[in-house]
Amino acid sequence: SSEITGDNNVIIINTPVHDEEKKLKIALELTKNNVIFVSQEGTIFDWFDWNAVEQKLYIELLSKAKAFLYHSEYDKKLMSVFIDKFVKWNGCINIFVDEPRNFGDGEYVSLPSPIKRYQRGMIGHKLAIDFVKDIPIYSIEYNRPSGINLLSFPDNYSLEGIKIHSRMPHYEWMGFIHGSKFGIDVHREFSGGNCSLEYGALGVPLIGNINLDTQRDIFPDLSFDFMDYDSIKNATHLLLNDKDFYEEISRKALDNVKAI
């Protein structure tokens, strides 16, 4: 509802949502008599794709917010152009396994990012099929939405050697991760870091982008610049062949994710 009631509340505004212009106008009304924090889903660049009116409203909202709730130092640095007050805002998870993984656990390698837009998933997919030979590889289905950014969202497709798994409810998703030997999730941009948390909470190793705080904190030995292909290839080789390395990564991940 657009009706605003109540004062002196602490309110978290999370973007993006549908109908951004309407929601941002409501958020601006709320800043008059309440303490507003702003958080953002997805890649930090998503709001740059909004139309001009929506971007103007969002910048105004940031100027009136108490602080921006940031997921990573990368996001904080970018948003410091628009706001100078920040609060670290990690994701959260309440599911943990009791014991780390054994080297023989897992039936496939999982690629949680589909081939789409900012994630540039094709690179991770190609690296996977080049170096993962004796175990299946699964990626997540992605279907291009209709009516928006058609050139930015490729259709659902995969490279030969990668099987596509349909999208699923969260409890099935956690089972999908648990069935993995390890995951590869290296792409140019990143979001809130829940994927790293979910893999870490299940003790499943995940190779990922070092600029994502949760990835770097949980999997320091598997975190690389997204173009550091040699290190990504080496980590993939070690997870497939080095028992001690694999099991140490799993043990450290469980310890680290509980400490976040």
Side-chain angles (χ1 to χ4, degrees):
S1 170
S2 60
E3 182 179 356
I4 309 301
T5 60
D7 295 334
N8 302 315
N9 299 299
V10 176
I11 301 173
I12 296 173
I13 304 295
N14 195 45
T15 66
V17 292
H18 62 86
D19 197 358
E20 301 296 342
E21 182 177 344
K22 176 182 177 182
K23 302 297 174 58
L24 289 169
K25 287 178 178 177
I26 294 172
L28 281 167
E29 283 294 313
L30 290 171
T31 64
K32 294 178 180 178
N33 300 298
N34 299 282
V35 177
I36 301 298
F37 294 85
V38 177
S39 179
Q40 186 175 317
E41 297 278 356
T43 169
I44 198 64
F45 291 105
D46 269 0
W47 70 277
F48 289 86
D49 293 333
W50 298 350
N51 67 44
V53 171
E54 293 167 344
Q55 290 189 45
K56 181 179 179 180
L57 289 170
Y58 189 55
I59 291 172
E60 184 179 356
L61 175 64
L62 290 170
S63 73
K64 298 178 184 222
K66 180 71 173 178
F68 185 81
L69 307 180
Y70 70 99
H71 302 302
S72 73
E73 294 299 324
Y74 183 98
D75 290 4
K76 180 181 178 182
K77 184 175 181 180
L78 187 149
M79 294 303 288
S80 67
V81 175
F82 303 97
I83 186 171
D84 60 3
K85 301 173 287 293
F86 295 91
V87 175
K88 184 67 180 294
W89 184 251
N90 282 326
C92 61
I93 191 166
N94 60 0
I95 300 172
F96 301 95
V97 294
D98 295 326
E99 300 293 335
R101 306 274 287 193
N102 294 314
F103 181 65
D105 291 341
E107 300 176 0
Y108 45 84
V109 171
S110 54
L111 309 176
S113 292
I115 300 176
K116 73 177 180 107
R117 204 169 61 129
Y118 61 83
Q119 292 173 322
R120 306 297 190 265
M122 181 68 79
I123 294 172
H125 285 225
K126 183 62 166 64
L127 292 171
I129 61 172
D130 283 350
F131 290 91
V132 179
K133 298 299 183 183
D134 299 320
I135 182 173
I137 306 169
Y138 283 95
S139 182
I140 301 302
E141 175 184 57
Y142 181 77
N143 295 312
R144 181 171 63 185
S146 61
I148 58 169
N149 298 328
L150 292 183
L151 295 178
S152 298
F153 291 81
D155 290 315
N156 186 38
Y157 64 97
S158 69
L159 301 178
E160 185 176 354
I162 295 177
K163 301 178 181 179
I164 298 295
H165 197 294
S166 60
R167 302 188 71 84
M168 63 204 88
H170 187 260
Y171 70 92
E172 291 183 14
W173 166 247
M174 296 299 284
F176 173 76
I177 294 173
H178 193 260
S180 308
K181 186 172 184 66
F182 62 90
I184 303 174
D185 194 34
V186 178
H187 43 76
R188 190 186 71 179
E189 317 298 358
F190 39 81
S191 54
N194 277 6
C195 191
S196 302
L197 284 168
E198 290 161 345
Y199 273 78
L202 298 178
V204 179
L206 180 68
I207 300 171
N209 191 324
I210 197 169
N211 283 316
L212 179 58
D213 289 356
T214 50
Q215 171 69 31
R216 182 176 65 246
D217 292 344
I218 297 168
F219 299 106
D221 304 301
L222 299 179
S223 301
F224 312 104
D225 182 272
F226 81 101
M227 291 187 69
D228 187 357
Y229 304 137
D230 288 340
S231 294
I232 295 166
K233 293 172 186 178
N234 184 59
T236 302
H237 173 78
L238 290 173
L239 290 172
L240 288 169
N241 296 285
D242 190 322
K243 178 179 183 296
D244 291 340
F245 178 81
Y246 181 95
E247 293 181 355
E248 177 69 4
I249 292 292
S250 178
R251 183 192 64 76
K252 286 171 65 173
L254 278 177
D255 292 341
N256 292 338
V257 77
K258 292 175 182 178
I260 289 182

